[in-house]
Amino acid sequence: MLIRHRGYEPKVERTTYMAPTSTLVGKVTVGPHGRIMFGAVLNAESSEITIGEYAIISENAVLRGNRSSTALPVHIRDHVFIGPHATLLGCSVDSCTYIATGATILQGAKIGSGAVIAVGALVHAMTVIPEGFFVPPFSIAIGDPVTIYSPDQLEAVGEAIRKVGFAKAAFGIEETFAERKDLYKMTTTIRADEYRAHFQDVVLDPLD
């Protein structure tokens, strides 16, 4: 499905296969010889998504651009494989990179060429993964230079995330809150305001 959003229509090269249950929204550009498989969602929101040639976007992967204090586009270079159920938000992935099943890459992260983000791994906001680097399964990568944490390192992970400034990176929020629920109230309000533009979306005929 192709959807015009904020006046922008997705552009897909004719040599790219787009599964009938995939969805492309807004300022999305897909290069030649790609494959966008069943259930994949590429949603540019108030930013953009660019996909290079021979890129594979597997089943039920979600790619979303957003805006915080600046635009948060998604840029996927040539020959990138994105596995099923992966989530990529406002990040960039260089060429010949493997993003495995269930991996998550957050806002402002940069993945170097030839890197591997293994099954279930998380690359946190503003993190830089060097060329050829391997992020192990179900691990958490944070920072620049990057540090790898295991999920049971609760205190260390929490401190590393605080240093990243996730709320600012993802939502443009610089305030601090005495209670976490007040932060979440603001984040959902920000996204609801951004997503209001979908009331004007237009579903396009793919044969046009």
Side-chain angles (χ1 to χ4, degrees):
M1 180 185 300
L2 301 175
I3 297 176
R4 182 189 301 131
H5 177 64
R6 297 176 186 264
Y8 291 103
E9 298 181 3
K11 299 185 186 324
V12 181
E13 285 282 341
R14 293 189 177 276
T15 55
T16 284
Y17 172 75
M18 192 180 86
T21 57
S22 62
T23 303
L24 278 63
V25 183
K27 195 174 183 181
V28 178
T29 305
V30 182
H33 308 295
R35 304 292 181 259
I36 303 174
M37 301 309 292
F38 299 90
V41 176
L42 283 65
N43 183 1
E45 284 300 338
S46 53
S47 187
E48 68 174 354
I49 295 175
T50 61
I51 308 293
E53 66 178 13
Y54 288 100
I56 308 298
I57 315 297
S58 298
E59 292 82 359
N60 299 307
V62 174
L63 283 65
R64 188 172 71 234
N66 273 128
R67 181 173 296 276
S68 59
S69 53
T70 59
L72 292 168
V74 175
H75 294 308
I76 308 298
R77 312 300 180 191
D78 301 341
H79 296 277
V80 170
F81 182 92
I82 297 175
H85 300 280
T87 300
L88 290 82
L89 309 177
C91 60
S92 66
V93 179
D94 214 338
S95 61
C96 302
T97 299
Y98 190 91
I99 312 298
T101 298
T104 299
I105 305 173
L106 297 183
Q107 289 89 348
K110 298 179 180 179
I111 312 299
S113 179
V116 175
I117 313 302
V119 171
L122 167 63
V123 178
H124 217 285
M126 310 307 293
T127 296
V128 176
I129 303 297
E131 291 188 9
F133 194 88
F134 178 79
V135 178
F138 304 106
S139 62
I140 303 165
I142 305 176
D144 178 20
V146 64
T147 300
I148 302 298
Y149 300 88
S150 62
D152 61 346
Q153 294 178 277
L154 299 180
E155 187 173 329
V157 168
E159 179 60 27
I161 291 173
R162 280 189 288 274
K163 290 179 179 178
V164 164
F166 174 69
K168 180 180 179 182
F171 299 96
I173 298 173
E174 300 196 40
E175 297 96 320
T176 57
F177 297 88
E179 293 195 40
R180 193 174 294 172
K181 65 181 182 180
D182 294 327
L183 170 61
Y184 297 154
K185 181 178 180 180
M186 180 170 281
T187 60
T188 54
T189 301
I190 287 170
R191 283 294 182 253
D193 288 344
E194 181 180 12
Y195 296 164
R196 185 186 297 122
H198 287 291
F199 282 113
Q200 283 75 50
D201 285 356
V202 176
V203 178
L204 305 172
D205 185 342
L207 298 179
D208 287 349

